[in-house]
Amino acid sequence: MLCGLEVQEIARNQAGSPLDRRSFLKCALASGAALGINGVAQPAAGIGSGAASGTQDDARFIVEAKFYQKLAERKIKCKLCPRECTVGDKERGYCGVRENRGGVYYTLVHSRVCAAHVDPVEKKPLFHYLPGSIAFSLATAGCNVNCKFCQNWDISQSRPEQIPAEYIPPQRVAEIAKQYNCPTIAYTYSEPVIFSEFLMDAADAGHEAGIRSIVVSNGYMQEEALKAAYGKMDAVKIDLKSFSESYYRQVVTGQLKPVLNSLVTLRKMNKWTEIVYLVLPTLNDSDEEFRGLAQWVKANLGPDVPLHFTQFHPEYLLKNLPITPVPTLERAKAIADAEGLHYVYIGNVPGHPAQNTYCPKCRKMLVERVGFTASQMLIRKNSCPFCQQPIPGIWHA
Amino acid sequence: MKTMRNGSRRDFLRQSFAGAALLCASGGAGALAAAEPVAAKPGAVGAKSRVVVARDELLRGTDSKVDSGRMLALLDRAMQALAGHDHPAEIWRTLVRPSETVSLKVNTLGGRGISTNVLLVAAICKRLQEAGVRASDIVVWDRDSNELERAGFHLAMGGERVQCYGTDRVGYEENLAAWGSVGSCLSKILTQRSGVLINVPVLKDHDGAGVTIALKNMYGVIHNPNKYHPDGCNPYVADLNMLPEIRSRMRLTICDATTAIYEGGPGYKPEHCWNANSLLVSQDPVALDHTGWQMIERKRAEKGLKTLEAKKRAPRYIATAADGEHKLGTNDPKRIALVEV
Ligand SMILES: [Zn+2]
């Protein structure tokens, strides 16, 4: 029997293809056993009732925030993301999960897990990170942007007290991951920027238990917070949602520049990073934008950063747009290839040959992927076995 | 309120007459119509939106507490001026049918210091019941039950009493309601318990939006208000009020300006509050917001503070709400019939 978390999770797994669905069900079964039978910590009040996840005053989840500045008149300025919300007493920031209480800023979502699941890392997607492995993946409510295409808007655009959640403190996160042979904890689904404190503590607990951490994020974060929080990650996937400020303003409710800055910072930190670009028909799919993006990546991050062009499925506030045509994704890849990027993938299109990893030198296939699983993995000692070309990534546990 | 535009008694009588004519023309039965919301229709030739500012200098006793009897009398005076006749029960009967469910959306974010006055809500509930609405068909509500209690309301769910609880008790609809920049899940109190919505906000300064009065009080109806504070809440406030689920139910705004705040809102800052001892009543929330904004500006000027415009936080959403795309009411002073009583 699936627990409350599983029920939540079913809604936010993309029901794209049969492969997708099958691999999801397998995972659901595995993690259902994990979370249901062996019991995560006691669920918060209200779980399973369809009502809210306990009161907003549930003290277990409330921890002083790490990145903020105190101002006069009990106001604070949040220094977590580039919005820099100025928040008055008893008010919350844009993310909805941080609250000023008497001039002290608190996160309301520490250990407050509203979605948890065991996923293949290919689903994040991270293609150059332990292919074929699984990650204990979790999220809290909240997000610091509001993408009109969000697949998980029901958790990302909600306040924590509005959705069921369970109390899973950092130690327990590590235990569950270990118990179910996940070498990795993944912070994903909503927007991990806004649960940085929990992410940092869980990553520490994981590392003590020999478990790595990865994050799937929009990268819309201040540099100091990024260094502190994502410095604890073993790999990072950034959703670069477009290469235009106007798109970021209108479709994402954010800004492009700080995200580019984050990518450069991650590069300087030597953090393994992959980029996903969700292609929306008519909104961010011009040749110029693809070319500008590829040129920027090559110039600022180098040719070895994997770039995934993924297919959009109509969701949330953009149900009027069609699914991204596969030829559009192929055009994006062709442009980025021509600009000299070594690892350009097409995502969300099961069975497409551009899901595989090829050696940039001898062009032989090195990792074959079927759906969200790696069916063949030929890389040895971080290199192509055919021509010994080094292949960047974290290939071996 | 001498400083108010069109403030003379003579003007009042003239506007009163004009306003009554307007309401009859647009509403049918008597002055106010119950069957459909009768917010001003700015497109109509010669139409004016009536906004009543009713004031009682003696609203408070010597201990500075609001007197319940005087509050009821103040409400009656305001409603009479809005309707253009003298029979309180009759006025309410034209607004709501006995079979309808009625909800009063209050504002309780400011705690005990600056929330919708409990005695005002009690007075409205009394008149609604006299008009034939069953007590249990009336809901007094806001986002959160704890906040309602902190503001002095007694929670009540079930039974024959007037109901009082927050959306936290019943949750939000799962489906999105969307218009323009807004996509939100609506409180089930709105969608399932509010045949008629009466908006009972507070007159407040707002550090982000400029002011928060009638239109912005609808932020308490949705699950994600924190998403709509950038850019001075513009166009979000206007777009939100366009949601059919809100617009079709909205019949009247009774703004509590017994205690108001001209700076440092929306939280309670006692040093910036003043006892305006007033109610603002209108069926046009845009005209009411414009009028309330001007009251706050006059108080700011009196206190030597800069205008909201000069502070770069003029409430632009009010003009957006009045524009050709929204037509939620009028912010044109020439088309607002201001009645002071
Ligand atoms: Zn090779």
Side-chain angles (χ1 to χ4, degrees), chain A residues 28-81:
Chain A
L29 199 67
S31 61
L35 298 175
I37 296 168
N38 291 289
V40 188
Q42 284 301 303
I47 201 162
S49 67
S53 70
T55 72
Q56 68 187 62
D57 292 327
D58 196 328
R60 291 178 301 175
F61 307 126
I62 301 172
V63 171
E64 186 176 355
K66 280 194 194 300
F67 309 101
Y68 76 101
Q69 190 185 327
K70 292 184 179 177
L71 304 177
E73 293 184 323
R74 299 197 302 276
K75 289 185 180 180
I76 67 93
K77 180 183 273 189
C78 185
K79 304 291 280 182
L80 179 60
C81 98

Side-chain angles (χ1 to χ4, degrees), chain A residues 102-211:
Chain A
V104 179
Y105 207 35
Y106 292 94
T107 167
L108 310 179
V109 292
H110 197 288
S111 308
R112 193 172 195 162
V113 177
C114 71
H117 202 69
V118 174
D119 283 339
V121 291
E122 281 79 7
K123 194 171 173 176
K124 303 299 144 197
L126 276 172
F127 278 9
H128 291 221
Y129 174 89
L130 305 184
S133 71
I134 51 175
F136 178 52
S137 309
L138 53 86
T140 77
C143 183
N144 60 339
V145 295
N146 186 3
C147 300
K148 288 186 163 58
F149 48 79
C150 187
Q151 303 241 335
N152 297 329
W153 65 269
D154 54 338
I155 57 170
S156 71
Q157 302 304 318
S158 293
R159 293 169 166 240
E161 67 273 19
Q162 290 166 352
I163 45 177
E166 292 193 26
Y167 176 64
I168 310 185
Q171 299 291 344
R172 188 72 190 121
V173 170
E175 280 168 26
I176 295 170
K178 196 155 189 101
Q179 204 170 345
Y180 292 93
N181 297 318
C182 299
T184 304
I185 302 161
Y187 312 92
T188 179
Y189 303 134
S190 55
E191 179 43 63
V193 167
I194 60 89
F195 60 87
S196 283
E197 294 83 359
F198 176 41
L199 165 147
M200 293 167 76
D201 293 346
D204 285 345
H207 285 141
E208 276 170 31
I211 295 160

